[in-house]
Amino acid sequence: MAYPMQLGFQDATSPIMEELLHFHDHTLMIVFLISSLVLYVISLMLTTKLTHTSTMDAQEVETIWTILPAVILILIALPSLRILYMMDEINNPSLTVKTMGHQWYWSYEYTDYEDLSFDSYMIPTSELKPGELRLLEVDNRVVLPMEMTIRMLVSSEDVLHSWAVPSLGLKTDAIPGRLNQTTLMSTRPGLYYGQCSEICGSNHSFMPIVLELVPLNYFEKWSASML
Ligand SMILES: [Cu+2]
């Protein structure tokens, strides 16, 4: 999860989020280079005496400053498209979980099991135990096996919501009457926090998402205890 005074993203938990972090750093590097060049040129313009005011055209430099930005844009667009298509890929998922957004909580259904579904409400601040996180803790966590491809189906019962977990690089709109799909894969066990990311009403800030990624045998024990 995020920590106080954090700069940048949360640590990556999935391969997709690692790709996104690399892409972010790559793009930011280009932004820094362009900004430095522009600052340098501005400082030159302000400090240099322009002695060649009769110069009417400069074909060579115009060719360069037209083509160079186009090349830079391609260098950003290609890796961006690569990640976009990677995120769309459904890699033969071993488990499917459906989540529905409600005003204001999430409900989860493990559709591979006959009767495994629950609602996930935020724990109010007054009922928090020491060490628990305010506005992030829920009564029923989503327990999932780690290192396995999981298909998330996301929809909504009432208004627009958005199911988001930053450290997994996930953000999927929950739209009434429409079933959206994403895949999720965690490379390590742990607790991953997210929040609804669509302004959905007065309690929008109070419908957090908590994923508990555990080894497969723990997941099996949990699912057996839930049935
Ligand atoms: Cu919402």
Side-chain angles (χ1 to χ4, degrees):
M1 60 165 290
Y3 51 87
M5 306 288 283
Q6 177 172 338
L7 288 174
F9 292 101
Q10 297 180 26
D11 288 346
T13 302
S14 68
I16 284 288
M17 191 56 200
E18 261 164 47
E19 295 281 339
L20 287 170
L21 290 180
H22 286 143
F23 177 64
H24 168 266
D25 296 349
H26 162 80
T27 315
L28 202 64
M29 214 56 223
I30 294 174
V31 171
F32 279 148
L33 286 173
I34 294 174
S35 312
S36 325
L37 181 69
V38 170
L39 270 173
Y40 175 63
V41 172
I42 289 176
S43 67
L44 279 189
M45 298 288 286
L46 292 174
T47 52
T48 312
K49 251 190 173 171
L50 299 168
T51 50
H52 295 283
T53 45
S54 58
T55 306
M56 298 303 283
D57 74 333
Q59 289 292 329
E60 295 83 8
V61 75
E62 281 182 21
T63 311
I64 294 170
W65 75 43
T66 309
I67 292 174
L68 198 66
V71 172
I72 293 172
L73 284 180
I74 291 169
L75 287 180
I76 298 173
L78 290 181
S80 165
L81 283 172
R82 184 176 144 267
I83 302 176
L84 194 69
Y85 283 105
M86 278 169 69
M87 290 170 89
D88 244 10
E89 205 71 53
I90 310 288
N91 301 309
N92 190 27
S94 19
L95 184 77
T96 304
V97 181
K98 189 180 90 176
T99 175
M100 293 286 267
H102 304 260
Q103 281 178 317
W104 286 274
Y105 62 96
W106 294 97
S107 64
Y108 297 92
E109 242 174 78
Y110 289 63
T111 47
D112 298 297
Y113 294 81
E114 214 159 83
D115 187 26
L116 179 42
S117 62
F118 51 84
D119 296 336
S120 188
Y121 282 88
M122 187 195 78
I123 298 179
T125 308
S126 55
E127 289 166 30
L128 285 176
K129 292 182 198 76
E132 288 189 334
L133 303 162
R134 192 175 71 93
L135 305 185
L136 281 178
E137 228 65 63
V138 295
D139 56 356
N140 288 307
R141 291 169 175 168
V142 187
V143 181
L144 292 170
M146 59 180 272
E147 287 179 326
M148 285 178 95
T149 311
I150 295 148
R151 169 168 46 204
M152 285 300 304
L153 301 173
V154 183
S155 187
S156 170
E157 200 104 286
D158 35 53
V159 298
L160 291 174
H161 298 274
S162 180
W163 197 81
V165 184
S167 58
L168 288 161
L170 290 173
K171 184 169 282 180
T172 308
D173 283 345
I175 300 166
R178 190 192 148 99
L179 201 61
N180 280 334
Q181 181 176 255
T182 48
T183 39
L184 176 164
M185 214 273 282
S186 171
T187 46
R188 54 192 173 123
L191 273 184
Y192 305 108
Y193 292 88
Q195 286 175 303
C196 177
S197 292
E198 183 75 57
I199 309 292
C200 57
S202 61
N203 285 339
H204 156 69
S205 315
F206 312 113
M207 46 183 301
I209 298 147
V210 184
L211 301 189
E212 191 175 331
L213 270 303
V214 294
L216 183 61
N217 54 331
Y218 284 86
F219 172 77
E220 279 170 344
K221 270 181 211 157
W222 172 83
S223 57
S225 73
M226 290 292 284
L227 288 173

